[in-house]
Amino acid sequence: MATAADIVGWWDLSWSGGTFPVCFRPAGLFFCPSFQAAARWALEGDVIRIDWAKFGRYELKVNVATQCLEGSALPRNDADSNNWRKATYKHALTPVDRVLLGDGAGSEWDFEWSGGRFEVQFKADGYNHFICQSFPSHSHWSCEGSKILINWGQHGNYELLIDPEAKFMQGCLVGGNPATDWRKARLLRNLPVTGVVEQCDQHH
C-alpha cells in the first residue's frame, strides 16, 4: 500500500506532448513550474487523484516497487492517444524545498535591508506567490539549487543564496550594488496548513 511518503517529491510527468517536472508537495499541494495552477493531489489506496484546475483532472495508479505512476486524464478514454499519463520518480524534496515549503503551506521569514526589516512569506501554493504586506505587489519566488529568485513586481528582482541548515539567506537586488542593495532573511516559522487551495485571478 502506497503512503504519502512514497509520493512527496519531484517526478517527471509524461504524456504524448512531452515530459516535464512536477512536485507532489506536502499537505496535498501539487506544483508544476511549466503549468502553474491552484492544484491538489490526494492518495486513495494505490491511486493518486490530481485536480489540476484548468489543466484537468487525472488518476494514476502507484507502483511503489518501480517508483512509477500510470493512468490517464479524466474521463478516461482509451481511444484517445493523448489521454494517457505516466510519471517516474526523480528525487525527494531537497533541503531547500523542505525549508521553504515547511509543513506544506510555505514559510515566513524576517527580511532585512538597509532601510529596516519586515516579514515576508514564501507561499507553497500552485503559483509560488511571494507575499509582503509592507511592500505589496503581485510577486513570485522560484529556486535553482541554492539560489532563491524573487520577482517582486515594481520593487525589483532579487537573488539570494540560501543555507537550508542555518535557515538563512542573503543576496542582492539583481543588477544592484551589493554594498548598498543587499538583502538578508532568516526563517521565523512555517505557515499553518489550512487545507484551502488558494486561487489567483491574475493568472490565466
Side-chain angles (χ1 to χ4, degrees), residues 97-147:
D97 288 330
R98 291 195 293 270
V99 171
L100 291 172
L101 301 181
D103 299 317
S107 52
E108 191 164 48
W109 296 67
D110 177 56
F111 202 83
E112 183 180 357
W113 69 307
S114 59
R117 62 202 315 155
F118 43 84
E119 295 179 358
V120 301
Q121 296 179 351
F122 291 84
K123 303 283 283 187
D125 56 16
Y127 306 101
N128 278 3
H129 281 117
F130 177 81
I131 305 296
C132 176
Q133 299 298 336
S134 299
F135 297 94
S137 176
H138 186 230
S139 309
H140 302 85
W141 66 271
S142 61
C143 63
E144 299 174 358
S146 60
K147 181 188 296 183

Side-chain angles (χ1 to χ4, degrees), residues 14 22 27 31 62 66 83 90 96 98 103 106-107 109 117-119 121 128 137 147 154 159 181 184-185 191 193-194:
S14 299
V22 300
F31 178 71
V62 182
T66 62
N83 189 247
K90 289 186 68 178
V96 172
R98 291 195 293 270
D103 299 317
S107 52
W109 296 67
R117 62 202 315 155
F118 43 84
E119 295 179 358
Q121 296 179 351
N128 278 3
S137 176
K147 181 188 296 183
Q154 70 267 30
E159 290 187 3
D181 296 320
K184 298 178 181 179
L191 295 175
V193 175
T194 64

